[in-house]
Amino acid sequence: MACSTSSVTWQELLDGVRESFSTEQVDVDRLRTLMNSYQSQRSDWEQYALFDPHTYTRNLVDAGNGRYNLIILCWDSGQGSSIHDHADSHCFLKVLSGEVKETMYAWPGSGVSPSHSSTPTMEVTGSESVLIDDVAYINNEIGLHRVENPSHTDQAVTLHLYCPPITTCQSFEARTGRSHSCHVTFYSKEGQKVCSSVK
């Protein structure tokens, strides 16, 4: 499927992402354009949008034959992630419902790998609201981030594309910059609940 600025359906989005990984090279601009081209319709993705009142959830939509993961994250009011990296993955985030706040951070120790850093700070480098149908992008060269639902009343739903698939990441303590390795788990796969919590 040729990627253009015209709108695509949910199925065309899924097919277009899969086609984008038919070669070894990742075309970041093409993937961003493709994700921008989809206009959110709740009926398309609602079956994957499983919430938990105690924590945000990761819901696997497509495992991507080991080349990528397409995941829907569900954020109840006030829920947020830790400060984290993305291993060696590209990460695209598209808001499907509501809005999220993305706060960007520098690596502890002015870019030094966190496992070798003793600097007890997490420097905020920027913050922005990501609104419905907006697409954000990050990788480890850009820095770290935290995502949260700033609303006290409304839920938010985001679509994430990780390539290669993300299986582990580092989370960071806001006050000290100390890092911890985390295994990425799923609350559901293809609409079926598989576990009860997300770390």
Side-chain angles (χ1 to χ4, degrees):
M1 183 185 76
C3 183
S4 68
T5 55
S6 61
S7 63
V8 298
T9 66
W10 174 255
Q11 189 59 53
E12 287 171 337
L13 172 63
L14 300 184
D15 292 344
V17 169
R18 190 171 298 113
E19 182 185 307
S20 296
F21 291 95
S22 60
T23 63
E24 292 298 320
Q25 187 172 2
V26 176
D27 188 335
V28 171
D29 291 334
R30 182 181 190 277
L31 288 167
R32 184 195 292 271
T33 299
L34 180 61
M35 292 191 74
N36 267 315
S37 297
Y38 171 69
Q39 301 297 301
S40 179
Q41 298 289 329
R42 180 173 289 274
S43 59
D44 292 336
W45 46 261
E46 192 167 27
Q47 63 178 311
Y48 305 107
L50 278 64
F51 286 83
D52 186 295
H54 306 295
T55 182
Y56 74 96
T57 64
R58 298 187 196 99
N59 304 280
L60 182 65
V61 175
D62 187 349
N65 294 322
R67 300 289 308 280
Y68 64 92
N69 277 344
L70 197 61
I71 305 168
I72 282 181
L73 274 66
C74 294
W75 315 83
D76 218 335
S77 56
Q79 291 178 345
S81 73
S82 63
I83 302 166
H84 61 278
D85 73 354
H86 295 85
D88 295 320
S89 295
H90 301 274
C91 173
F92 300 85
L93 177 160
K94 180 183 181 73
V95 176
L96 299 179
S97 178
E99 70 175 89
V100 295
K101 178 182 178 183
E102 181 186 32
T103 304
M104 307 290 296
Y105 296 84
W107 284 92
S110 301
V112 176
S113 174
S115 60
H116 300 96
S117 172
S118 59
T119 304
T121 60
M122 290 302 297
E123 177 190 357
V124 174
T125 59
S127 179
E128 66 176 351
S129 294
V130 190
L131 308 178
I132 187 168
D133 284 324
D134 287 349
V135 175
Y137 170 80
I138 191 170
N139 62 30
N140 278 2
E141 291 184 6
I142 295 172
L144 311 171
H145 77 173
R146 177 177 190 266
V147 178
E148 61 187 305
N149 177 3
S151 175
H152 297 294
T153 57
D154 298 327
Q155 295 177 327
V157 179
T158 52
L159 178 68
H160 297 244
L161 172 62
Y162 299 98
C163 48
I166 188 165
T167 57
T168 61
C169 67
Q170 298 288 320
S171 66
F172 297 82
E173 297 177 2
R175 293 184 179 179
T176 67
R178 185 172 301 170
S179 65
H180 305 273
S181 181
C182 300
H183 181 68
V184 174
T185 59
F186 297 112
Y187 188 79
S188 71
K189 294 183 178 180
E190 299 179 354
Q192 300 298 313
K193 188 175 176 181
V194 295
C195 68
S196 58
S197 63
V198 174
K199 299 299 184 185

